[in-house]
Amino acid sequence: MHTPLPRLTQPLVRERLKSGKRGPQRPASWDEAMERAAAGLLASRQRHGSSSIGIFSCSKTTNEVNYLAQKFLRVVLGSNNIDSCNRT
C-alpha cells in the first residue's frame, strides 16, 4: 500500500548563516515568502540580466493560463525564456 508523504501547509524560508552557508528552513507567512521570492528574482535580474530568468509552463493547462505565464515573463520580468513542454 502506498503511503503519501505529508504535504506542506505553509511556506518555508531559509536564512543564511553567518558563515554564508544555507541554514535550516523555517515556517514563514505567505507575505514573507512572496516578498523573498520577488526579491530573489529582482536580484537575479539585476545581477545577471533578464535572460537569466526563465519558466516552464505546463502543457496540460489551458491556453489562457499559458498565455498569462508567457505575458508575465515577457512584460514583468523582461525575458523570453519560456517553455511549455508541448512536445510530450
Side-chain angles (χ1 to χ4, degrees):
M1 178 183 216
H2 174 70
T3 304
L5 296 173
R7 293 182 178 237
L8 292 176
T9 57
Q10 64 188 64
L12 301 174
V13 297
R14 189 183 305 269
E15 302 292 342
R16 289 265 176 210
L17 299 175
K18 291 181 181 178
S19 65
K21 293 183 179 181
R22 294 172 19 168
Q25 293 178 331
R26 66 167 176 81
S29 69
W30 283 103
D31 287 339
E32 179 188 2
M34 293 299 288
E35 287 173 11
R36 290 177 67 147
L41 282 172
L42 180 60
S44 179
R45 188 174 77 177
Q46 289 173 339
R47 192 174 316 119
H48 304 290
S50 294
S51 63
S52 68
I53 300 172
I55 62 171
F56 285 104
S57 187
C58 181
S59 63
K60 298 190 187 312
T61 193
T62 64
N63 287 337
E64 292 80 7
V65 170
N66 280 325
Y67 174 81
L68 289 174
Q70 66 85 24
K71 192 58 106 173
F72 174 79
L73 181 69
R74 291 182 174 140
V75 173
V76 176
L77 299 176
S79 176
N80 288 322
N81 299 327
I82 185 168
D83 190 348
S84 60
C85 303
N86 287 331
R87 297 170 300 282
T88 58

